[in-house]
Amino acid sequence: MSTQIELLEAEVKAAIGRAVKAGLLTLDTPASITLDRPKNRDHGDYATSIALALAKAAGKKPGEVAQIISRELEGAAGVLRVEIAGPGFINITLTRASQAELVLTILKQARDFGRTDALRGVRINLEFISANPTGPLHLGHTRWAAVGDALGRVLTAAGADVTREFYINDRGNQMDLFGASVEAAALGNPIPEDGYKGEYIADLAKEVVASNPAITELAQGARHEAFREAAYSLQLRDQQRVLDNFGTHFDIWFSERSLHHQGAVEHGVEKLRRQGHVFQAEGALWLRTSNFGDDKDRVLMKSDGSFTYFSSDTAYYINKRERGFDICIYMLGADHHGYVGRLKATAACTGDDPEYNIHVLIGQLVKIMEGGQEVKLSKRAGTIITLEELIEKTGVDAARYTLIRYPVDTPMVIDIDILKRNTNENPVYYVQYAHARIAAVLRNAAELNISVNLADFDPTQLTHDRENELLGALAQYPRVVASAAQMRQPHRIARYLEELAVTYHGFYADCRVLPLGQENPTPLHTARLLLCSSTKVVIANALDLLGVSAPERM
RNA sequence: GCGCCUGUAGCUCAGUCGGAUAGAGCACCUGCCUUCUAAGCAGGUUGUCGCAGGUUCGAUUCCUGCCAGGCGCGCCA
């Protein structure tokens, strides 16, 4: 079950333990050892700077500590050579065969290879997109549609129990304005001053009237409501359809209205009151969020007796926690970063630990280039690019991959023209190509009747540098998944995939996998074939975490 | 004014607890398919890691200040 890295880390730890026991070192054995994959191949298969880190505590020079540890480490399972370099790095070279065992591990675990239990048992509510149902999803939502979904998959792979949730902002002035806009379009009246003006409003109007011709005959008040509700339902369904096509699925579509209907807001206020952070001032009801780092206190109920949007937010958070979620992750756009303080403070007001129970990810905005120019997005002016349009232009895989490839706190620039090109200017093809290439090799191998029986795998066959590099890259995968989950950074999966693809392509160029001409299959052919097969498994698993397909042919 | 994010090659960007000679793609040049997918491989060119201090064996990474850009600071939703 353990990968070679984990085993080696345990060996290093054990070596330190032995040194301490023998009185060679006086210090506490560190809880974890970090092994790095050195960039320079002369530095062995793995390197650790643990001796440098422990030098001070041990009261010795780093070089001496490294000497002591490396002496204990020599002869450990699978270790071929231990060397000390520079100020005290310990460079470890493994026997080739011990590294090659990984192939069997991967092929046995197959789809489960890379899954960890880093977050086992943790119930996570992952909320993202949460758009108003007053228009199509646009590029602002797109980044989250891709990244949020990928994060959900990554957290699941790390063992967490994840629920993806979309909060429908179906309450308030925006909805009325939206309804009034559709109504006006249907009746041929001018769209209200602050109304929605996109073409889709006219389309919605037609659709509403087509499905219910009598709607225009209703009395004004009833008509207004009927238009709003009909348009709402159509628009929501449209959002769901588009997200479905994009491969982003939600477990729960949570209506803000339902929160109010079930009295959750009053319940939330009551809970906060019991915690002692609610107070009355200037005729309004406030939450003292400033006690927990917020810049100012927030109003829960206005002096006119109505609840604020903030009160919905707090109620919603409390509702999530009462549904049993340990961690609530929010994914918000940079234009909402002002919410972080109050959300965290709200969590603290309910008695939660804002460092653990709530996690707010802020995504910087996406800038779009097309035809060499920046495309300005304005819902008002109707110059939005919708998620659907982006998919039409680039395809789901290219769009998803590009959006996920960058950390969310970087403002990113997307050039539509580049995305449209099916060339390796888009790294997704480079990665997918590696997968398709392996698939082709495996197809050809099947025709040649080469054994892919695990029992015929001989790890000592894999002695080429390229094979060694590939094995090293494959061994990284589980820890990449774990760190992507822990850091909430799915882009790490994409970057890893690119590295793995580079390594595979290099291997492929230098290491012939199948027999040439009339040559008979040898154990080396089988070993390389199984190495290819295990690489294919890892690429497919990683692409799956991004929601990107792993094609058999390209 | 206060707060969050960003500043790394000509362009777009990577770079988990500080680690060895700072990386990738694109762009530009040169080689490699009469045998596994050339959407590939190999090689070449490209840097004041925004600036200035500090912390230490060691700083692109941590701390402080400054400069530049993006975004936000309602009893709006």
Short mmCIF file of all heavy atoms in Angstrom, two decimals, chain B residues 4-15:
data_model
loop_
_atom_site.label_atom_id
_atom_site.label_comp_id
_atom_site.label_asym_id
_atom_site.label_seq_id
_atom_site.Cartn_x
_atom_site.Cartn_y
_atom_site.Cartn_z
P C B 4 -4.41 42.83 4.73
OP1 C B 4 -3.99 41.81 5.70
OP2 C B 4 -3.44 43.82 4.23
"O5'" C B 4 -5.07 42.10 3.47
"C5'" C B 4 -5.97 41.02 3.65
"C4'" C B 4 -6.50 40.56 2.32
"O4'" C B 4 -7.21 41.65 1.69
"C3'" C B 4 -5.44 40.18 1.29
"O3'" C B 4 -4.93 38.89 1.49
"C2'" C B 4 -6.22 40.32 -0.01
"O2'" C B 4 -7.10 39.23 -0.18
"C1'" C B 4 -7.06 41.58 0.28
N1 C B 4 -6.37 42.80 -0.20
C2 C B 4 -6.45 43.11 -1.55
O2 C B 4 -7.09 42.35 -2.30
N3 C B 4 -5.83 44.21 -2.02
C4 C B 4 -5.16 45.00 -1.18
N4 C B 4 -4.57 46.08 -1.68
C5 C B 4 -5.06 44.71 0.21
C6 C B 4 -5.67 43.61 0.65
P C B 5 -3.42 38.56 1.02
OP1 C B 5 -3.14 37.19 1.45
OP2 C B 5 -2.53 39.67 1.42
"O5'" C B 5 -3.53 38.59 -0.58
"C5'" C B 5 -4.30 37.60 -1.25
"C4'" C B 5 -4.31 37.88 -2.73
"O4'" C B 5 -4.93 39.18 -2.98
"C3'" C B 5 -2.94 38.03 -3.39
"O3'" C B 5 -2.33 36.79 -3.65
"C2'" C B 5 -3.31 38.78 -4.67
"O2'" C B 5 -3.94 37.93 -5.60
"C1'" C B 5 -4.36 39.77 -4.13
N1 C B 5 -3.74 41.06 -3.76
C2 C B 5 -3.45 41.96 -4.79
O2 C B 5 -3.73 41.63 -5.96
N3 C B 5 -2.89 43.15 -4.50
C4 C B 5 -2.61 43.45 -3.23
N4 C B 5 -2.04 44.63 -2.98
C5 C B 5 -2.87 42.54 -2.15
C6 C B 5 -3.44 41.37 -2.46
P U B 6 -0.73 36.70 -3.67
OP1 U B 6 -0.38 35.27 -3.85
OP2 U B 6 -0.17 37.45 -2.52
"O5'" U B 6 -0.37 37.50 -4.99
"C5'" U B 6 -0.68 36.95 -6.26
"C4'" U B 6 -0.42 37.96 -7.35
"O4'" U B 6 -1.10 39.20 -7.04
"C3'" U B 6 1.03 38.39 -7.53
"O3'" U B 6 1.77 37.44 -8.26
"C2'" U B 6 0.86 39.70 -8.29
"O2'" U B 6 0.53 39.46 -9.64
"C1'" U B 6 -0.37 40.29 -7.59
N1 U B 6 0.01 41.22 -6.52
C2 U B 6 0.46 42.48 -6.90
O2 U B 6 0.57 42.80 -8.07
N3 U B 6 0.79 43.31 -5.87
C4 U B 6 0.71 43.04 -4.52
O4 U B 6 1.03 43.90 -3.70
C5 U B 6 0.23 41.72 -4.20
C6 U B 6 -0.10 40.88 -5.19
P G B 7 3.36 37.33 -7.99
OP1 G B 7 3.82 36.10 -8.64
OP2 G B 7 3.63 37.56 -6.56
"O5'" G B 7 3.92 38.58 -8.79
"C5'" G B 7 3.67 38.72 -10.18
"C4'" G B 7 4.28 40.00 -10.69
"O4'" G B 7 3.78 41.10 -9.88
"C3'" G B 7 5.79 40.05 -10.61
"O3'" G B 7 6.34 40.66 -11.78
"C2'" G B 7 6.08 40.93 -9.41
"O2'" G B 7 7.26 41.71 -9.55
"C1'" G B 7 4.86 41.86 -9.40
N9 G B 7 4.56 42.33 -8.04
C8 G B 7 3.99 41.61 -7.03
N7 G B 7 3.86 42.30 -5.92
C5 G B 7 4.36 43.56 -6.23
C6 G B 7 4.50 44.71 -5.43
O6 G B 7 4.18 44.87 -4.26
N1 G B 7 5.07 45.77 -6.14
C2 G B 7 5.46 45.70 -7.45
N2 G B 7 6.00 46.82 -7.96
N3 G B 7 5.35 44.61 -8.22
C4 G B 7 4.80 43.59 -7.55
P U B 8 6.66 39.76 -13.03
OP1 U B 8 7.29 40.61 -14.05
OP2 U B 8 5.44 39.00 -13.36
"O5'" U B 8 7.74 38.76 -12.46
"C5'" U B 8 9.05 39.22 -12.16
"C4'" U B 8 10.01 38.08 -12.22
"O4'" U B 8 9.64 37.08 -11.24
"C3'" U B 8 10.02 37.31 -13.53
"O3'" U B 8 10.78 37.96 -14.53
"C2'" U B 8 10.61 35.98 -13.09
"O2'" U B 8 12.00 36.11 -12.86
"C1'" U B 8 9.91 35.78 -11.76
N1 U B 8 8.63 35.05 -11.89
C2 U B 8 8.68 33.67 -11.99
O2 U B 8 9.72 33.06 -11.96
N3 U B 8 7.46 33.07 -12.12
C4 U B 8 6.23 33.67 -12.16
O4 U B 8 5.22 32.99 -12.28
C5 U B 8 6.26 35.09 -12.06
C6 U B 8 7.43 35.71 -11.93
P A B 9 10.25 37.87 -16.01
OP1 A B 9 10.27 39.25 -16.55
OP2 A B 9 9.02 37.06 -16.03
"O5'" A B 9 11.40 37.05 -16.74
"C5'" A B 9 12.67 37.64 -17.00
"C4'" A B 9 13.15 37.24 -18.38
"O4'" A B 9 13.44 35.81 -18.36
"C3'" A B 9 12.13 37.45 -19.49
"O3'" A B 9 12.81 37.84 -20.68
"C2'" A B 9 11.53 36.07 -19.70
"O2'" A B 9 11.07 35.86 -21.00
"C1'" A B 9 12.74 35.17 -19.41
N9 A B 9 12.39 33.82 -18.99
C8 A B 9 11.16 33.29 -18.69
N7 A B 9 11.19 32.02 -18.37
C5 A B 9 12.53 31.68 -18.47
C6 A B 9 13.22 30.49 -18.26
N6 A B 9 12.64 29.35 -17.90
N1 A B 9 14.56 30.49 -18.44
C2 A B 9 15.15 31.63 -18.81
N3 A B 9 14.61 32.83 -19.04
C4 A B 9 13.28 32.78 -18.85
P G B 10 13.03 39.35 -21.03
OP1 G B 10 14.25 39.44 -21.84
OP2 G B 10 12.89 40.14 -19.78
"O5'" G B 10 11.79 39.69 -21.95
"C5'" G B 10 11.68 40.97 -22.58
"C4'" G B 10 10.67 40.85 -23.71
"O4'" G B 10 11.23 39.97 -24.72
"C3'" G B 10 9.35 40.19 -23.30
"O3'" G B 10 8.42 41.16 -22.85
"C2'" G B 10 8.90 39.52 -24.58
"O2'" G B 10 8.27 40.44 -25.44
"C1'" G B 10 10.24 39.10 -25.21
N9 G B 10 10.63 37.72 -24.85
C8 G B 10 11.81 37.36 -24.24
N7 G B 10 11.93 36.08 -24.06
C5 G B 10 10.76 35.55 -24.58
C6 G B 10 10.32 34.21 -24.67
O6 G B 10 10.88 33.19 -24.29
N1 G B 10 9.06 34.12 -25.27
C2 G B 10 8.35 35.19 -25.73
N2 G B 10 7.17 34.89 -26.27
N3 G B 10 8.74 36.44 -25.66
C4 G B 10 9.95 36.55 -25.08
P C B 11 7.43 40.77 -21.64
OP1 C B 11 6.72 42.01 -21.25
OP2 C B 11 8.17 39.99 -20.62
"O5'" C B 11 6.39 39.81 -22.36
"C5'" C B 11 5.40 40.34 -23.24
"C4'" C B 11 4.45 39.24 -23.65
"O4'" C B 11 5.19 38.21 -24.35
"C3'" C B 11 3.80 38.50 -22.48
"O3'" C B 11 2.63 39.17 -22.03
"C2'" C B 11 3.51 37.14 -23.08
"O2'" C B 11 2.33 37.16 -23.87
"C1'" C B 11 4.71 36.93 -23.99
N1 C B 11 5.81 36.20 -23.34
C2 C B 11 5.70 34.81 -23.17
O2 C B 11 4.66 34.25 -23.56
N3 C B 11 6.70 34.13 -22.59
C4 C B 11 7.80 34.77 -22.18
N4 C B 11 8.77 34.06 -21.62
C5 C B 11 7.93 36.18 -22.32
C6 C B 11 6.93 36.85 -22.90
P U B 12 2.17 38.99 -20.51
OP1 U B 12 0.98 39.84 -20.33
OP2 U B 12 3.34 39.15 -19.63
"O5'" U B 12 1.70 37.47 -20.46
"C5'" U B 12 0.52 37.06 -21.14
"C4'" U B 12 0.24 35.61 -20.83
"O4'" U B 12 1.27 34.79 -21.43
"C3'" U B 12 0.30 35.24 -19.35
"O3'" U B 12 -0.90 35.59 -18.67
"C2'" U B 12 0.55 33.74 -19.42
"O2'" U B 12 -0.64 33.05 -19.74
"C1'" U B 12 1.50 33.65 -20.61
N1 U B 12 2.92 33.66 -20.18
C2 U B 12 3.48 32.44 -19.84
O2 U B 12 2.86 31.40 -19.89
N3 U B 12 4.79 32.50 -19.44
C4 U B 12 5.58 33.64 -19.34
O4 U B 12 6.73 33.53 -18.96
C5 U B 12 4.91 34.86 -19.71
C6 U B 12 3.64 34.82 -20.11
P C B 13 -0.86 35.78 -17.09
OP1 C B 13 -2.24 36.02 -16.65
OP2 C B 13 0.22 36.75 -16.75
"O5'" C B 13 -0.45 34.34 -16.62
"C5'" C B 13 0.37 34.13 -15.50
"C4'" C B 13 0.89 32.73 -15.57
"O4'" C B 13 1.96 32.65 -16.53
"C3'" C B 13 1.50 32.21 -14.29
"O3'" C B 13 0.49 31.74 -13.41
"C2'" C B 13 2.39 31.07 -14.80
"O2'" C B 13 1.63 29.92 -15.07
"C1'" C B 13 2.89 31.66 -16.13
N1 C B 13 4.22 32.29 -16.01
C2 C B 13 5.33 31.44 -15.91
O2 C B 13 5.15 30.22 -15.92
N3 C B 13 6.56 31.99 -15.79
C4 C B 13 6.71 33.31 -15.78
N4 C B 13 7.92 33.80 -15.68
C5 C B 13 5.58 34.19 -15.88
C6 C B 13 4.37 33.64 -15.99
P A B 14 0.84 31.46 -11.90
OP1 A B 14 -0.43 31.31 -11.19
OP2 A B 14 1.86 32.39 -11.38
"O5'" A B 14 1.48 30.02 -12.04
"C5'" A B 14 2.63 29.71 -11.35
"C4'" A B 14 3.01 28.30 -11.61
"O4'" A B 14 3.92 28.27 -12.73
"C3'" A B 14 3.76 27.68 -10.45
"O3'" A B 14 2.87 27.10 -9.52
"C2'" A B 14 4.65 26.66 -11.15
"O2'" A B 14 3.92 25.49 -11.49
"C1'" A B 14 5.02 27.42 -12.41
N9 A B 14 6.21 28.25 -12.24
C8 A B 14 6.30 29.62 -12.35
N7 A B 14 7.50 30.08 -12.15
C5 A B 14 8.26 28.95 -11.89
C6 A B 14 9.62 28.76 -11.61
N6 A B 14 10.50 29.75 -11.54
N1 A B 14 10.05 27.50 -11.40
C2 A B 14 9.17 26.50 -11.47
N3 A B 14 7.87 26.55 -11.74
C4 A B 14 7.47 27.82 -11.94
P G B 15 2.86 27.65 -8.02
OP1 G B 15 1.92 26.78 -7.28
OP2 G B 15 2.69 29.12 -8.01
"O5'" G B 15 4.34 27.32 -7.56
"C5'" G B 15 4.83 25.99 -7.59
"C4'" G B 15 6.32 25.99 -7.40
"O4'" G B 15 6.96 26.60 -8.55
"C3'" G B 15 6.82 26.82 -6.23
"O3'" G B 15 6.69 26.16 -5.00
"C2'" G B 15 8.27 27.03 -6.62
"O2'" G B 15 9.05 25.89 -6.42
"C1'" G B 15 8.12 27.29 -8.12
N9 G B 15 7.95 28.72 -8.37
C8 G B 15 6.77 29.40 -8.58
N7 G B 15 6.93 30.68 -8.73
C5 G B 15 8.30 30.87 -8.62
C6 G B 15 9.08 32.05 -8.69
O6 G B 15 8.71 33.20 -8.88
N1 G B 15 10.43 31.78 -8.52
C2 G B 15 10.98 30.55 -8.30
N2 G B 15 12.29 30.50 -8.15
N3 G B 15 10.26 29.43 -8.22
C4 G B 15 8.94 29.66 -8.40
#
